[in-house]
């Protein structure tokens, strides 16, 4: 078992390396360790054997990663039209703007081009076209033309990491389908047959229950169609700690296996079979039922874990050996990582296996079974302690109502709703589905009520404190006879009380979030915080996870430069999640659309926080402006030696007016480039007046506007160094006696994540935390 653990550690370590090691080096180390096992004494030989196990895991994951990297989309084929044939896999997901689906590439018909074996395709709906009328269905074969881009996405330290998820799922490129796609018929393999069955069941559920949230929940519980659940429902489930119930997990698989096994046991008691041991038939039938349900549900990591552990039970019976739960746990984890070593990047793997390990640890060492009430309480306690740090580190919050919600919802969903829903999709009548939908709606009503309860929101702790807290969690879950449980709480407390250090007196910090094609900048002084714009998406996607991870409890000012969705779309979400003392907007339409209360930013507004001066330079108090971009608030933040300029999307005409009005007073060490580097902003006179040592560009990777413009980028590089969110991810700048900057892609370098240069100025790339005097 120890060797299995070291093998797993090797696979896990590989996922977090900045660069992959050479296979030759790993082979040489493995050979050396093997020779030590043959020549050394028993104890050194044992240590060498453990080293071999670790190197085997590292080498195996390395080889699989090298193979996957070789399949990535070449840069010469980015955004080029490619003709290909393939099969729609899984269930296509219809959204507001089109249909998104997984596509297995059979062959590429464009000469000299190649694609990864699995890509993600989006079919955008034409104007006036109904998305649901799109003819894209599971298991269909298509010949189509698409323009592809690599899997690179936004890069921020907190919240959902799309680039990591795409790598772990094996989706190495995404494309947009062009018109004139041609259907080639239906694929006839087993996977396509299962996908078509899943889609037929979903359509039947929606035909009976409509496109309601109850139908989405029933479809998610029966066939794993979680894309049918709206984002609002996911947010409510996350606020109550019940997302694991909606995802088909080990709990549901075990329940189905147990029901089938109990049914077979009842049949065998009445009609016993002489040619096969009853215990083997009972357990085997449960495993077969679990396998069928897992395949129908999409074969996710939690279902794999449960299925493999049930399979270990069957092997134990066949070999007449007694394996402990811990042995089966390690064997199941090893099997999951052998099949897919990239599953270590999926949070679901650690939540799933971690909760099972916590339950086993909390019940270990008992001489006799405890009462059912105590088992229920102890299991809920173990699940809460085990999930506390992972949820806080992954999502920045923990629902305080989670223990109560799970105590009620787990039996309701697992014992009542899920069995009824599975029975309903198998029966030809409508009334079981209507009953399932009625129960699902009542489940959501309870979730809506519980979602109003407060959540524990903490700043992201550094890894030493997380490691210390993990040890403390193990102490808290230790069997009752082990002394020192209070020590576990004391070890866990530092991670729960951590608060990132604020800027020093006289300094301020500017954090440019990577929000894709948009802008959002957090300005922090020692005791205050200002957010300049919020980006294009909803707040929970990018902005709020970063604010929570950085320990921002309230905003003193929320400044929304102008009424464009790439600057103010998440304003309502931010104002609802955090206390905001004051809201300033470039256009009153922002307040009207999002139901906010605030005032226009106007030239002459100024204030000072902790020795840092904030000056609003634009727009004028009473002047008719021609377009939305001209209303952009212009903010200058100045310390003792360095200043930062923020202009939103202000055009060149505004820049020229500011130069005429303020002249050399505009000098700023750092410029957040206007309008994402468009030619409509950043005039030569503007750059000559500001003389920025460092320019920051916030733009989306391969955005459709082709920002930044090459001429603007060249002018910025001539002026000084250039940082870009599309290449460098989130950018953190500290302005005090000097200017220091860090790029997230360099700080959190991984072999599967694209790493930018962190500076572009015609010279070698500046390292993280480089200094500008």
């Amino acid at each position: 078992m120890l060797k299995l653990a070291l093998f797993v550690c090797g696979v896990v370590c590989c996922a977090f390396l900045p660069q992959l090691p050479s296979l030759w080096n790993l082979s040489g180390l493995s050979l050396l360790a093997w020779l030590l096992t043959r020549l050394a004494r028993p104890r050194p030989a044992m240590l060498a054997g453990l080293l071999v196990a670790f190197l085997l895991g590292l080498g195996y994951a390395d080889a699989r990663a090298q193979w996957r990297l070789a399949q990535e989309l070449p840069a010469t084929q980015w955004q080029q039209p490619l003709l290909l044939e393939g099969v729609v896999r899984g269930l296509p997901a219809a959204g507001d703007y089109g249909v998104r689906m997984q596509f297995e590439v059979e062959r590429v018909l464009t000469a000299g081009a190649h694609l990864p074996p699995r890509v993600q395709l989006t079919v955008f709906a034409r104007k006036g076209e109904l998305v649901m009328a799109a003819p894209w269905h599971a298991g269909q074969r298509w010949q189509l033309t698409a323009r592809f881009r690599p899997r690179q996405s936004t890069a921020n330290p907190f919240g959902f990491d799309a680039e990591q998820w795409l790598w772990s799922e094996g989706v190495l490129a995404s494309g947009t389908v062009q018109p004139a796609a041609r259907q080639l018929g239906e694929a006839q393999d087993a996977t396509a047959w299962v996908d078509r069955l899943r889609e037929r069941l979903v359509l039947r559920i929606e035909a009976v229950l409509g496109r309601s949230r109850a139908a989405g929940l029933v479809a998610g519980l029966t066939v794993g169609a979680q894309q049918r659940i709206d984002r609002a429902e996911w947010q409510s489930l996350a606020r109550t700690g019940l997302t694991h119930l909606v995802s088909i997990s080990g709990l549901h698989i075990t329940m189905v296996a147990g029901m089938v096994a109990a049914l077979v046991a009842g049949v065998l008691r009445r009609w016993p079979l002489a040619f096969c041991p009853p215990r083997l038939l009972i357990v085997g039938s449960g495993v077969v039922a679990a396998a069928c349900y897992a395949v129908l549900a999409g074969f996710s990591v939690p279902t794999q874990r449960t299925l493999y552990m049930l399979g270990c039970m069957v092997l134990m019976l066949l070999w007449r050996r007694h394996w402990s739960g811990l042995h089966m746990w390690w064997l199941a984890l090893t099997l999951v990582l052998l099949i897919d070593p990239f599953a270590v990047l999926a949070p679901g793997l650690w939540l799933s296996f971690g909760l099972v390990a916590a339950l086993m640890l909390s019940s270990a060492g008992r001489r006799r079974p405890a009462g059912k009430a105590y088992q229920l309480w102890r299991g809920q306690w173990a699940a809460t302690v085990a999930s506390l740090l992972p949820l806080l580190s992954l999502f920045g919050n923990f629902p305080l109502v989670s223990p109560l919600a799970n105590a009620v919802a787990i039996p309701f969903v697992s014992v009542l709703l899920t069995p009824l829903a599975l029975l309903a999709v198998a029966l030809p009548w409508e009334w079981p589905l209507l009953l399932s939908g009625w129960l699902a709606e009542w489940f959501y009503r309870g979730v809506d009520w519980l979602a109003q309860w407060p959540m524990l929101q903490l700043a992201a702790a550094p890894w030493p404190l997380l490691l210390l807290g993990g040890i403390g969690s193990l102490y808290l879950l230790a069997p009752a006879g082990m002394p020192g449980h209070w020590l576990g709480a004391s070890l866990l407390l530092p991670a729960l009380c951590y608060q990132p250090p604020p800027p020093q007196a006289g300094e301020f910090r500017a954090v440019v979030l990577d929000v894709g094609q948009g802008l959002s900048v957090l300005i922090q002084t020692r005791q205050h915080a200002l957010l300049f714009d919020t980006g294009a998406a909803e707040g929970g996607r990018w902005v709020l996870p970063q604010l929570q991870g950085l320990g921002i409890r309230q905003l003193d000012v929320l400044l929304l430069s102008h009424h464009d969705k790439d600057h103010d779309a998440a304003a309502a979400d931010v104002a609802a999640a955090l206390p905001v003392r004051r809201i300033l907007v470039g256009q009153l339409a922002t307040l009207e659309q999002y139901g906010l209360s605030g005032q226009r930013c106007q030239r002459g507004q100024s204030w000072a926080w902790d020795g840092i001066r904030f000056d609003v330079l634009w727009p004028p108090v009473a002047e008719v402006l021609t377009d939305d971009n001209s209303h952009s608030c212009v903010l200058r933040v100045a310390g003792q030696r360095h200043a930062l300029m923020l202009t939103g999307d202000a055009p060149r005409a505004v820049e020229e007016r500011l130069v005429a009005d303020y002249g050399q007073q505009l000098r700023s060490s750092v410029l957040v480039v206007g309008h994402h580097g468009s030619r409509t902003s950043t005039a030569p006179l503007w750059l000559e007046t500001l003389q920025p040592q460092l320019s920051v560009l916030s733009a989306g990777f391969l955005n459709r506007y082709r920002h930044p413009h090459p001429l603007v980028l060249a002018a910025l590089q001539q002026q000084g160094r250039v940082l870009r969110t599309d290449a460098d991810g989130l950018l953190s700048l500290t302005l005090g006696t000097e200017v220091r900057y860090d790029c997230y892609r360099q700080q959190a370098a991984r072999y599967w994540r694209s790493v930018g240069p962190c500076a572009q100025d015609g010279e070698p790339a500046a390292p993280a935390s480089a200094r500008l005097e």
Side-chain angles (χ1 to χ4, degrees), residues 503-509 522-532 554-559 580-582 584 606-615 635 637-640:
Q504 297 294 323
E507 294 185 347
F508 69 95
R509 182 182 299 136
L522 174 68
I523 309 294
Q524 285 182 274
T525 65
R526 188 160 184 81
Q527 298 181 358
H528 297 83
L530 175 147
L531 184 65
F532 188 99
Q554 71 171 13
L555 291 173
D556 295 279
V557 173
L558 173 60
L559 196 156
V580 180
R581 292 185 174 181
R582 185 184 184 191
L584 297 175
S606 65
W607 62 91
W609 290 339
D610 307 316
I612 306 300
R613 183 177 177 85
F614 294 76
D615 292 292
L635 178 69
V637 186
Q640 295 180 357

Side-chain angles (χ1 to χ4, degrees), residues 315-323:
L315 291 177
M316 180 182 67
L317 290 175
L318 288 175
W319 292 347
R320 298 183 180 276
R321 293 192 177 186
H322 177 71
W323 289 352

